[in-house]
Amino acid sequence: MAASPQLIYTEDIGDERLDEFRDLTTADRRPDRPGGRGLVIAEGTVVVRRLAESPYPVRALLGVRRRFDELEADLAGLDVPAYVTSADVMAGVVGFHLNRGVLATADRAPQPPVADLVAGARVIAVLEGVGDHENLGALFRNAAALGVDGVLLGPGCSDPLYRRSVRVAMGHVLRVPFAVASGPAEWKAALETVRDAGFRLAALTPRPGSVPLWRAAADEKVALMLGSEGHGLSDEALAAADVAVSVPMADGVDSLNVATTGAVAFYELTVRREGTAADVRR
Amino acid sequence: MAASPQLIYTEDIGDERLDEFRDLTTADRRPDRPGGRGLVIAEGTVVVRRLAESPYPVRALLGVRRRFDELEADLAGLDVPAYVTSADVMAGVVGFHLNRGVLATADRAPQPPVADLVAGARVIAVLEGVGDHENLGALFRNAAALGVDGVLLGPGCSDPLYRRSVRVAMGHVLRVPFAVASGPAEWKAALETVRDAGFRLAALTPRPGSVPLWRAAADEKVALMLGSEGHGLSDEALAAADVAVSVPMADGVDSLNVATTGAVAFYELTVRREGTAADVRR
């Protein structure tokens, strides 16, 4: 019989075995930062389930009994401690109230080199300056839903493994492969690696001269570059692109949120072009 | 010379003339509910500017001097009191800290009958059960950006004029016309009015048997029906639709957020089909 989590019952708020789950508001801080533990935190059954399927090594679980019952099949084979307690003790340990009733911690998994990220990929997202955790999480959720193969994170992006991003992404940051190239030289090299792999770099920008998004769909491999909501892509990023594309907007309206722009662009380059190609073949 | 707001300086947190701006957390409650004042609250220069351009009758403004300087041209012609004070007094009056430095209140404008909403429209959004204020606000923002002509709100939708929706919509709830049909009989009649105006009712649903979204774009007038994020459209709404459409998704992935699904669908039916039609004509 395969190993399963060992259910360990405790109602002691001071139980040292629960220290893993204390001070969760900063537990996700990058390990390369002072005091950073760099844990990956999964909240709720949907995200815990996704974590269990991911390459991230699960360390421990904490939750109310009902949630473990719901997750039984998903957690089979996972040989880690699973602390069962009440909602109140849970809240006392983590420091705030969680509606979701179950938590898991995991270690970070190594990130793929950019060359591995693009190998076999057809559409990737390339992000610059997306510092907002919710926008970043939503971009990963949209990328997963629409079949984007990977995400390259350039300068100014926040950490997709922060708790809030993991939650907004509904755990899809654990599923969509990503690589980080935050330094200027690393970033430049990463963009060259992407281009060398046969991708056309399409920068999403409302600037004059950009062509409507759908005209970029003729390229087999597309790397969609998206910038921060406030300022868009930097001049350097725009200069590095092969083509500037836009979602044409109604007059006088602020641009869409960056995650929404991403969704529209992902849709156009994935399900839309594959689907209409299939329609033509029928 | 056109009238302009009268700048009235005050640093008195108890100034009765500022009562309009007290207890803002509930000031937006519907006037048809007990104790409801039903004010429309605009926060920040972008939304205040949009309010000034809208048909909603502005009542008063409150802000720091710098914001009024920024808004001078936008507010010209608006004959209402504009209270100028410090950020601290502002926070004391409204009960929480506002980063945005300017507020306006307005009365609600009468909503158009459904027949007026659809007259001359080509694409409308029809919402059922969208109770989340942020999703509703984001839907209006996306509708405005992508040129949707109007929104019909059915049963279970929250009030788009709630402060949080106005803010998330960046004020576009004040710009995109909408009508409310929340009772069962009203809702049924509203859908018939939409159909009688020549619209095809396209229900967005992941259910088997739905056709990919882009195949609905052949219809001249489309009413896109969107349901709540949790449960989707009701069986009754699906039965009332002429066609079921979907955004094809990657396997095993939760659906997109309702506002994001809306954006993708709006894109397909507005700028995408108009743009590609224009490309063909070139």
Side-chain angles (χ1 to χ4, degrees):
Chain A
M1 203 181 117
S4 277
Q6 320 139 236
L7 295 187
I8 301 163
Y9 290 80
T10 175
E11 290 297 327
D12 174 9
I13 218 170
D15 191 329
E16 288 182 4
R17 296 171 302 177
L18 304 184
D19 286 353
E20 180 89 6
F21 296 95
R22 288 183 213 282
D23 194 21
L24 269 197
T25 49
T26 60
D28 53 359
R29 240 187 251 160
R30 289 186 174 173
D32 54 346
R33 305 273 167 86
R37 284 195 280 162
L39 294 180
V40 179
I41 315 287
E43 298 165 81
T45 48
V46 170
V47 182
V48 168
R49 188 174 288 135
R50 204 145 278 146
L51 172 65
E53 293 164 355
S54 81
Y56 292 76
V58 180
R59 296 165 57 105
L61 297 139
L62 172 66
V64 299
R65 177 62 204 243
R66 190 157 69 86
R67 295 293 177 230
F68 285 115
D69 292 343
E70 289 168 20
L71 287 165
E72 193 178 352
D74 307 286
L75 300 179
L78 212 58
D79 189 15
V80 299
Y83 300 101
V84 187
T85 188
S86 64
D88 285 348
V89 170
M90 248 186 110
V93 171
V94 304
F96 52 89
H97 195 77
L98 281 158
N99 289 319
R100 295 153 194 261
V102 66
L103 277 174
T105 54
D107 288 315
R108 290 175 179 235
Q111 284 157 18
V114 178
D116 290 5
L117 184 78
V118 295
R122 189 180 181 197
V123 175
I124 65 164
V126 177
L127 310 182
E128 183 196 45
V130 180
D132 181 276
H133 298 156
E134 298 202 4
N135 284 344
L136 189 60
L139 275 163
F140 271 87
R141 180 182 177 186
N142 298 344
L146 294 162
V148 168
D149 301 304
V151 178
L152 173 61
L153 298 150
C157 291
S158 63
D159 179 2
L161 295 178
Y162 276 137
R163 193 166 59 91
R164 195 141 59 101
S165 294
V166 175
R167 192 179 61 220
V168 173
M170 299 181 78
H172 289 298
V173 291
L174 308 174
R175 174 188 162 120
V176 178
F178 66 88
V180 178
S182 44
E186 225 182 334
W187 172 233
K188 194 159 178 280
L191 293 181
E192 276 166 27
T193 303
V194 172
R195 187 181 282 112
D196 289 347
F199 282 79
R200 197 157 155 88
L201 299 177
L204 262 160
T205 171
R207 293 197 187 189
S210 57
V211 301
L213 181 56
W214 52 86
R215 293 200 212 144
D219 300 301
E220 175 58 22
K221 294 185 180 181
V222 182
L224 258 174
M225 302 172 73
L226 289 151
S228 74
E229 189 158 358
H231 303 284
L233 292 163
S234 67
D235 290 339
E236 294 72 26
L238 288 169
D242 299 308
V243 59
V245 297
S246 64
V247 179
M249 300 276 177
D251 287 344
V253 172
D254 327 86
S255 63
L256 296 169
N257 167 289
V258 63
T260 308
T261 303
V264 168
F266 301 158
Y267 163 80
E268 180 67 63
L269 294 174
T270 59
V271 297
R272 179 59 157 93
R273 68 170 171 174
E274 287 155 27
T276 44
D279 282 356
V280 168
R281 286 194 301 272
R282 290 194 322 169
Chain B
M1 205 181 116
S4 279
Q6 318 138 236
L7 296 186
I8 301 163
Y9 291 80
T10 175
E11 289 298 327
D12 173 10
I13 219 170
D15 191 329
E16 288 181 6
R17 296 171 300 176
L18 305 184
D19 286 352
E20 181 90 6
F21 297 95
R22 287 183 215 281
D23 194 22
L24 270 197
T25 48
T26 60
D28 52 0
R29 241 188 251 159
R30 287 185 176 173
D32 54 345
R33 305 273 167 85
R37 284 196 280 163
L39 293 180
V40 179
I41 316 287
E43 298 165 82
T45 49
V46 170
V47 181
V48 168
R49 189 175 288 135
R50 204 145 278 147
L51 173 64
E53 293 163 355
S54 82
Y56 292 75
V58 180
R59 295 163 57 104
L61 297 138
L62 172 66
V64 299
R65 177 62 203 244
R66 191 157 69 86
R67 295 292 176 232
F68 285 115
D69 292 343
E70 288 168 21
L71 287 165
E72 192 178 353
D74 307 286
L75 300 180
L78 213 58
D79 189 17
V80 298
Y83 300 101
V84 187
T85 188
S86 64
D88 285 348
V89 170
M90 247 185 110
V93 171
V94 302
F96 51 89
H97 196 78
L98 282 157
N99 290 320
R100 294 153 195 261
V102 66
L103 278 173
T105 54
D107 288 315
R108 290 175 178 237
Q111 285 158 15
V114 179
D116 290 5
L117 185 77
V118 295
R122 189 180 181 195
V123 175
I124 65 164
V126 177
L127 311 181
E128 183 196 45
V130 180
D132 182 275
H133 298 156
E134 297 203 3
N135 284 344
L136 190 60
L139 275 164
F140 271 87
R141 179 181 177 186
N142 298 344
L146 294 162
V148 168
D149 301 304
V151 178
L152 173 61
L153 298 150
C157 293
S158 63
D159 178 2
L161 296 178
Y162 276 138
R163 192 166 60 90
R164 196 141 59 101
S165 295
V166 175
R167 192 178 60 221
V168 173
M170 300 182 77
H172 289 299
V173 292
L174 308 174
R175 175 188 160 120
V176 179
F178 66 87
V180 178
S182 44
E186 224 182 334
W187 173 232
K188 194 160 176 281
L191 294 180
E192 277 166 25
T193 303
V194 173
R195 187 181 282 113
D196 289 348
F199 282 79
R200 198 157 154 87
L201 299 178
L204 263 160
T205 171
R207 294 199 187 188
S210 58
V211 302
L213 181 56
W214 51 86
R215 293 201 212 143
D219 300 301
E220 174 57 22
K221 293 185 181 182
V222 181
L224 258 174
M225 300 171 74
L226 289 150
S228 75
E229 188 156 359
H231 304 283
L233 291 164
S234 67
D235 290 338
E236 294 73 26
L238 288 169
D242 299 308
V243 59
V245 298
S246 63
V247 179
M249 299 276 175
D251 287 343
V253 172
D254 326 85
S255 63
L256 295 168
N257 167 290
V258 63
T260 309
T261 303
V264 169
F266 300 158
Y267 163 79
E268 180 66 65
L269 294 174
T270 58
V271 296
R272 179 61 156 93
R273 69 170 171 173
E274 286 154 27
T276 44
D279 282 357
V280 168
R281 285 195 300 271
R282 289 193 324 167

